[in-house]
Amino acid sequence: MDVIPGQLVLSKAGRDKGKKFIVTTVDKESGYVYIVDGKLRRVDNPKKKKLKHLEVIGITSSKLSEKLKEGRPLQNSEIVKEIKLMETEEIK
């Protein structure tokens, strides 16, 4: 499955194993993505992570995706809110 900016992912490896993040940037050539959670990994310091260490949940925030496509800055608070919102969608 292709990963796109604004998508919810779950870390499968590393210190952050089991935590959910939002993809901000995808580098398909190198196989890396940049992820944030708004708390420990903030917008100004995203985590660079290999795709193979992430599980794609399949839920995308249209709000965050549009902002990233347009190049508008994200706020940490809106990332935290969107992750919580998407977690409730995942449960349904």
Side-chain angles (χ1 to χ4, degrees), residues 1 6-8 12 15 23 33 35 38-40 43-44 51 58-59 73 90:
M1 177 183 266
Q7 196 165 37
L8 186 67
K12 296 191 304 186
R15 280 188 231 172
V23 175
V33 295
I35 55 175
K39 295 178 184 176
L40 296 175
V43 175
D44 55 341
L51 275 172
I59 302 172
E90 181 186 11

Side-chain angles (χ1 to χ4, degrees), residues 1-64:
M1 177 183 266
D2 283 342
V3 179
I4 59 172
Q7 196 165 37
L8 186 67
V9 293
L10 179 71
S11 174
K12 296 191 304 186
R15 280 188 231 172
D16 53 12
K17 182 178 180 178
K19 293 185 182 177
K20 294 180 180 162
F21 296 90
I22 299 288
V23 175
T24 57
T25 310
V26 179
D27 185 2
K28 292 185 181 187
E29 286 181 19
S30 66
Y32 283 96
V33 295
Y34 289 89
I35 55 175
V36 295
D37 68 356
K39 295 178 184 176
L40 296 175
R41 281 297 170 174
R42 301 172 74 79
V43 175
D44 55 341
N45 188 25
K47 171 77 174 159
K48 181 180 178 182
K49 195 139 179 122
K50 284 191 174 191
L51 275 172
K52 69 179 184 178
H53 294 150
L54 296 172
E55 178 181 329
V56 179
I57 295 176
I59 302 172
T60 304
S61 167
S62 56
K63 178 183 172 184
L64 295 179

